[in-house]
Amino acid sequence: MNLKTIVFALSILLWPISLYRANTLPNFISYTIPTLFIAISFYFYRKGKSFFLLPILFLPLISPKLLPIPILVILAFYVINKGKKYLPYLLVSLFLLAGFFKPFWGQTIFKPDYQARQKVIRNTYLYPNVLSARVFQNKLRIIVDKFNFNLTAFIDPSNYLFGFHPREIMVDNQNLDKFPFLSLPFFLFGIYFLRKTSHWHFPLILFISSIISLSFLNNFDRNDFILFTPLSIILFEGINQFSKKFKSRANIYYWIYLFFAFFQL
Amino acid sequence: MKNKLLIFLLLSLAIIIGVFTRFYKLGESPSGLYIDEAAQGYSAYSLLKTGKDEFGKIFPIVFRSFTDFKTPIYIYLIVPLIPLFDLSAFTVRFPSFFFSILTLPLIYFLLSKLTKSKRIPIITTLLLAISPWHILFGRTNFECNVALFFYLAGIYLFYLGLEKPKILIASAISFAIAIPAYHSQRIIVPLTLIILFLKYKNVLLGKIHLKPFIVGCILGLLISLPTLSVATTPGFLMRAAGLNIFTRNGGHILLSVREFLSLYLSYLTPRNMFILGDYGPRSSFPDLSTFFLWQMPFYLYGLYLLIKNRKLGKLKFVTIFMLLIGPIPAALTRDPYSTIRALPLVIPQNIIIALAIGTILLRLKNNKLKFSFAVLSLGILIYSLAKIYSSIFILNDFYRAKYWDYGWQEVVKIIKTLDPKIPIVVDNARFEPYSQIIFFLKFDPTIYQKENFEVPLNQYYTNMNRVKEKKIGNITTRNINWDKDLFIDEYLMGDELAISEQQIKEHHLELIAVVYYPDKSVAFRIVRTNYLALPVNR
């Protein structure tokens, strides 16, 4: 086993371990299964199997919170590849949407938020006229703000490398350590060079669909483990590109990385 | 010619917007006068009247204040303004306003020097004019904006100096002023100088530039001498020692490295920039982050362009080095996303956004598209200005008045109407109101210096002892002692916790006045003791 492989192995160990330690076993399993299905889907995709999207259709059956993911993923593949073969998947996912819509809706940002609405009403009285009050203080803003708050959490490297900021403890979030914090260069390399790989559609579509879908949730914590597979793929590509770019000099960074990652573990 | 006129008009527009957003209600909004603002103002007032600060120190190099040792440039800038505008909130905030406005044309000229593009400099200037981050520190008494101006002036003059060597001397002077202007510049300026020297060492050490370069270095060093003379004192190091992450992590290297990287990264991530903003109630406005949300896609695209585009030359170099060193001082301190300490970062991040907007604009060949883009931009500009108005003048004044120490001006007005023969006790259990009282009273600094002693002057920078009880004529600031104070005929003044309605009833106090916050909650109560009404057996 070479150094690069050890680095990759160590880097993807952290998130499952921290998730396992912070949760009960049944909970851990319930959050892990969707990730396994995505990993299987990726395996089929790499093998060129036409039914590679099939495992993704099971996600809403495991957790209704993940309901929009299959629709978004299938739609993205449908648009990019313009293939009719995706139509049955799309129909099934729409069928699932109808079936699981109610339990999903109750856990989303669309659920009325009494406190936030009261604040909006209170604020409207501060403005000189109704029009200006309505521009900045309205109920739609409550939803948009929550969505933006969630979405930017998913594109924030601090979320993955530091469990957000050390002094920024979020009430509803376990602030799990997801990847060793020195993984940042690997992620940057992975994102930058992702298009050079033959399978770049899969991690990108999965990641974007998942973060959009999870952003609709009132609390995405732990369900975000669904991002483990696409991020690990990006990380793997990043380590490869890092090695290619820096050749033997990369080993120096790898040793430093291992030192810190070992202690973080 | 047409282009020049358009740029002139846009630059004028940026400056007009800049003046409007920073000057409108300058002394009134944020409502109140924060303790540090008042302390700086009174130090300047004391210097003007006596040549000494309130502790009696002649022209201090750093100002003792609340033993947080404030940087000197800002306070010395207030001194000449007091005869012009009197001692007021407006006066103490004016240097921030003035230098933030000067920064607008400065950034335009600096970027014009760094790039041939006509778009990027003017877009950056417009973005800076409407930047919530830059506006906040342009209308409040924070030293960082003045420091930013001198820092940018140093860089601009440096690039001018590469063509006209004598200007290098002016660049050195500007950098030397930036260092004592704000704490974070003590790290940023030396790092910038090292980077610029390494990049341009062949030019600087060449025949033509060497002489002015050496003169500049000597002059810069001479200007820095006063700062260097106190650089090792506990007072000078007070802020760094109290705030740095290494002491908080008990010197644990792994934890410190992790925390530093985490903090460093937080200054570059969209979540903090566009959604969360600064958590401090005085270093942010409600419902407004550091940047507008609509700028986020441009920031991400701009970052990509900055890495990918190899034709950006000096602009790329300056943007990247400012982006990389900007978060360092802030990341060394414990607060997450402290926009005060990271203010220099506002420049490269706005350049990155401008780079994306400029590139998109360049790609629009169709006139209809260009027109649509112009209309859309105008709409966004109007929306952004309205959002600024909503956050600064409506929500901030209503919700954050308490954090801006609102109410002391009103308290002092009431104090002036009270019987001067009766002593006044101002409770200082939760705050230190003496600086605001002497500020609004315009209390004679000579008397204040005589009546209040903290440390011998030869220990001004070294002795960290504090005396919390202050004497201001018939006013004393100290904790209210109910056992004793109730039996003396005096006025008591305190916040809702110090003097509650129940205490007034229980102690038979006479309510003189109540000062309310804008949200109608009680800020302060002023009462008079009534020992004759107290039960005999007490």
Side-chain angles (χ1 to χ4, degrees):
Chain A
M1 206 190 284
N2 62 16
L3 198 57
K4 199 171 76 176
T5 317
I6 299 170
V7 165
F8 178 66
L10 205 64
S11 61
I12 60 164
L13 266 178
L14 192 60
W15 197 351
I17 290 174
S18 62
L19 184 73
Y20 172 74
R21 285 175 59 87
N23 294 281
T24 59
L25 187 63
N27 269 347
F28 172 72
I29 292 169
S30 70
Y31 294 119
T32 312
I33 290 174
T35 305
L36 283 175
F37 274 76
I38 289 174
I40 293 166
S41 176
F42 179 60
Y43 173 77
F44 288 149
Y45 179 79
R46 290 279 285 165
K47 291 279 170 195
K49 305 288 181 194
S50 58
F51 55 85
F52 74 95
L53 285 172
L54 193 63
I56 290 179
L57 287 176
F58 286 91
L59 296 182
L61 302 175
I62 304 159
S63 171
K65 279 185 170 183
L66 308 175
L67 187 62
I69 295 177
I71 303 165
L72 293 172
V73 170
I74 294 161
L75 261 178
F77 275 107
Y78 179 75
V79 170
I80 291 168
N81 296 331
K82 294 186 177 68
K84 283 184 181 173
K85 60 180 178 180
Y86 300 114
L87 271 176
Y89 293 104
L90 197 60
L91 287 172
V92 174
S93 63
L94 287 171
F95 177 73
L96 288 168
L97 177 72
F100 290 93
F101 189 73
K102 211 175 170 185
F104 167 71
W105 188 258
Q107 301 181 68
T108 62
I109 52 176
F110 303 107
K111 199 180 153 191
D113 181 340
Y114 177 76
Q115 274 190 332
R117 283 181 175 209
Q118 288 302 308
K119 196 182 171 194
V120 164
I121 294 166
R122 196 167 64 237
N123 284 350
T124 47
Y125 288 104
L126 302 175
Y127 289 80
N129 55 59
V130 180
L131 181 71
S132 59
R134 287 289 172 212
V135 172
F136 298 108
Q137 307 293 333
N138 53 66
K139 286 167 195 166
L140 179 68
R141 225 199 75 179
I142 300 170
I143 296 167
V144 174
D145 282 354
K146 283 183 182 177
F147 182 82
N148 289 333
F149 182 83
N150 287 345
L151 189 69
T152 50
F154 288 118
I155 58 168
D156 184 352
S158 304
N159 176 9
Y160 304 105
L161 303 174
F162 302 100
F164 292 112
H165 183 267
R167 300 189 200 287
E168 186 195 324
I169 305 300
M170 295 169 79
V171 181
D172 300 324
N173 197 306
Q174 290 187 338
N175 286 56
L176 297 177
D177 274 0
K178 296 178 178 76
F179 294 96
F181 60 87
L182 289 182
S183 307
L184 182 64
F186 304 146
F187 276 115
L188 294 177
F189 268 76
I191 293 163
Y192 194 79
F193 292 106
L194 192 64
R195 279 199 69 173
K196 287 193 174 176
T197 62
S198 56
H199 52 267
W200 67 276
H201 279 149
F202 190 91
L204 199 68
I205 289 174
L206 239 302
F207 181 75
I208 293 171
S209 305
S210 302
I211 64 168
I212 292 172
S213 176
L214 292 169
S215 297
F216 286 121
L217 297 177
N218 253 333
N219 183 6
F220 60 76
D221 187 36
R222 289 173 286 179
N223 287 292
D224 56 359
F225 192 56
I226 197 101
L227 299 170
F228 179 72
T229 308
L231 287 174
S232 297
I233 297 167
I234 293 168
L235 188 74
F236 180 76
E237 294 307 333
I239 294 172
N240 272 338
Q241 291 298 334
F242 191 81
S243 292
K244 269 186 199 169
K245 179 86 182 166
F246 295 107
K247 299 191 172 79
S248 58
R249 279 177 299 164
N251 285 344
I252 303 166
Y253 188 77
Y254 289 152
W255 281 113
I256 298 169
Y257 181 90
L258 287 175
F259 175 74
F260 278 93
F262 179 75
F263 276 100
Q264 209 175 344
L265 265 178
Chain B
M1 189 65 196
K2 203 177 160 187
N3 266 348
K4 276 186 180 175
L5 182 68
L6 182 67
I7 285 171
F8 174 76
L9 288 175
L10 286 172
L11 186 61
S12 306
L13 177 71
I15 294 171
I16 290 166
I17 291 172
V19 170
F20 172 75
T21 51
R22 289 151 179 85
F23 193 75
Y24 178 64
K25 288 189 172 181
L26 181 63
E28 299 155 51
S29 188
S31 304
L33 187 74
Y34 185 57
I35 185 171
D36 285 339
E37 296 185 295
Q40 296 203 24
Y42 192 77
S43 294
Y45 184 67
S46 181
L47 277 171
L48 181 74
K49 298 284 177 190
T50 66
K52 301 168 187 171
D53 77 345
E54 66 268 37
F55 300 95
K57 181 78 178 171
I58 299 168
F59 297 107
I61 298 162
V62 282
F63 284 76
R64 187 175 175 86
S65 202
F66 306 100
T67 60
D68 56 350
F69 289 88
K70 292 181 170 61
T71 50
I73 302 291
Y74 199 99
I75 294 171
Y76 286 114
L77 284 170
I78 299 172
V79 176
L81 299 176
I82 296 170
L84 293 174
F85 305 123
D86 202 6
L87 184 61
S88 64
F90 175 88
T91 310
V92 297
R93 290 172 183 171
F94 191 83
S96 271
F97 157 75
F98 184 70
F99 283 95
S100 79
I101 293 302
L102 287 186
T103 307
L104 296 175
L106 176 64
I107 194 67
Y108 173 78
F109 291 123
L110 169 63
L111 295 184
S112 299
K113 196 88 213 132
L114 299 176
T115 173
K116 284 176 187 168
S117 163
K118 299 271 183 253
R119 292 182 179 86
I120 295 168
I122 196 66
I123 296 171
T124 309
T125 312
L126 275 164
L127 290 175
L128 196 65
I130 60 163
S131 160
W133 192 354
H134 198 248
I135 290 170
L136 172 67
F137 297 120
R139 47 181 304 120
T140 48
N141 168 315
F142 285 105
E143 307 98 313
C144 53
N145 222 332
V146 174
L148 177 67
F149 171 81
F150 284 106
Y151 172 66
L152 289 175
I155 298 175
Y156 176 57
L157 293 168
F158 176 84
Y159 276 97
L160 283 181
L162 291 179
E163 289 162 14
K164 295 176 185 169
K166 281 181 183 171
I167 301 177
L168 283 176
I169 299 168
S171 168
I173 293 169
S174 196
F175 278 127
I177 296 171
I179 293 175
Y182 189 57
H183 305 290
S184 66
Q185 296 291 343
R186 294 170 190 170
I187 294 173
I188 289 194
V189 170
L191 284 175
T192 304
L193 292 176
I194 292 167
I195 292 166
L196 289 175
F197 176 76
L198 290 175
K199 175 83 176 169
Y200 297 103
K201 61 179 183 296
N202 292 338
V203 182
L204 295 171
L205 301 177
K207 268 185 184 175
I208 310 165
H209 289 81
L210 188 62
K211 201 176 159 187
F213 174 65
I214 292 171
V215 173
C217 286
I218 294 169
L219 211 58
L221 206 66
L222 282 174
I223 295 169
S224 303
L225 269 182
T227 311
L228 292 172
S229 69
V230 295
T232 53
T233 59
F236 187 85
L237 300 169
M238 187 70 188
R239 291 285 288 174
L243 291 171
N244 81 76
I245 53 172
F246 304 105
T247 18
R248 285 182 69 87
N249 286 321
H252 196 296
I253 186 78
L254 289 174
L255 285 179
S256 299
V257 168
R258 185 180 189 271
E259 181 150 14
F260 172 77
L261 290 174
S262 159
L263 286 162
Y264 184 89
L265 196 60
S266 74
Y267 290 89
L268 308 173
T269 56
R271 184 157 161 266
N272 278 333
M273 290 169 64
F274 303 101
I275 300 287
L276 299 180
D278 195 318
Y279 75 101
R282 280 182 308 280
S283 40
S284 62
F285 293 123
D287 277 3
L288 195 60
S289 193
T290 321
F291 290 86
F292 294 104
L293 188 61
W294 61 261
Q295 295 176 327
M296 187 166 78
F298 296 113
Y299 176 67
L300 296 173
Y301 181 49
L303 272 177
Y304 172 78
L305 289 172
L306 189 69
I307 297 164
K308 193 90 177 164
N309 197 337
R310 290 179 183 178
K311 291 177 186 168
L312 292 171
K314 286 177 197 166
L315 180 74
K316 182 171 181 166
F317 168 70
V318 170
T319 309
I320 288 179
F321 93 66
M322 284 183 78
L323 189 71
L324 294 181
I325 66 170
I328 292 174
L332 286 169
T333 59
R334 62 183 183 221
D335 302 315
Y337 202 60
S338 164
T339 49
I340 305 170
R341 288 172 210 137
L343 184 65
L345 207 54
V346 73
I347 303 298
Q349 288 181 333
N350 267 314
I351 294 172
I352 289 166
I353 296 166
L355 184 64
I357 297 173
T359 307
I360 292 168
L361 199 60
L362 194 69
R363 285 180 189 167
L364 298 176
K365 302 285 179 198
N366 188 324
N367 276 343
K368 274 185 186 173
L369 279 176
K370 279 184 183 173
F371 179 74
S372 307
F373 190 86
V375 172
L376 189 69
S377 304
L378 189 68
I380 288 174
L381 182 68
I382 293 167
Y383 170 80
S384 303
L385 290 174
K387 180 92 177 156
I388 285 168
Y389 183 85
S390 159
S391 289
I392 301 178
F393 303 109
I394 296 175
L395 299 176
N396 192 62
D397 284 349
F398 187 79
Y399 286 112
R400 305 256 174 107
K402 186 185 288 183
Y403 302 103
W404 281 99
D405 289 351
Y406 176 87
W408 289 107
Q409 193 166 7
E410 289 69 16
V411 165
V412 168
K413 270 183 202 164
I414 297 163
I415 284 175
K416 282 178 181 171
T417 64
L418 300 176
D419 186 347
K421 289 171 201 152
I422 300 171
I424 303 168
V425 174
V426 180
D427 181 68
N428 67 356
R430 278 163 296 283
F431 37 80
E432 291 198 62
Y434 81 90
S435 57
Q436 281 125 333
I437 294 172
I438 50 179
F439 180 94
F440 287 118
L441 279 175
K442 292 175 198 144
F443 194 73
D444 187 341
T446 322
I447 303 171
Y448 181 82
Q449 287 164 18
K450 266 185 203 163
E451 289 182 345
N452 294 278
F453 172 82
E454 193 160 274
V455 290
L457 288 179
N458 60 354
Q459 294 172 19
Y460 183 90
Y461 300 113
T462 52
N463 190 335
M464 296 296 116
N465 285 341
R466 296 211 46 211
V467 176
K468 280 191 81 181
E469 189 172 315
K470 304 284 180 187
K471 187 102 182 64
I472 309 157
N474 66 332
I475 305 167
T476 310
T477 64
R478 62 168 168 82
N479 289 4
I480 293 175
N481 184 341
W482 291 109
D483 290 336
K484 290 179 183 170
D485 286 327
L486 283 179
F487 298 96
I488 307 166
D489 184 18
E490 60 188 6
Y491 295 108
L492 301 176
M493 209 230 84
D495 63 359
E496 168 102 54
L497 281 173
I499 305 170
S500 65
E501 281 182 347
Q502 200 184 339
Q503 278 160 326
I504 293 173
K505 219 182 221 178
E506 199 178 307
H507 302 310
H508 302 276
L509 301 168
E510 182 191 342
L511 182 66
I512 304 291
V514 184
V515 174
Y516 294 96
Y517 289 120
D519 65 2
K520 304 294 173 214
S521 61
V522 174
F524 305 107
R525 286 195 178 97
I526 301 170
V527 294
R528 185 174 173 179
T529 54
N530 188 6
Y531 61 94
L532 293 174
L534 290 172
V536 182
N537 59 351
R538 272 189 76 132

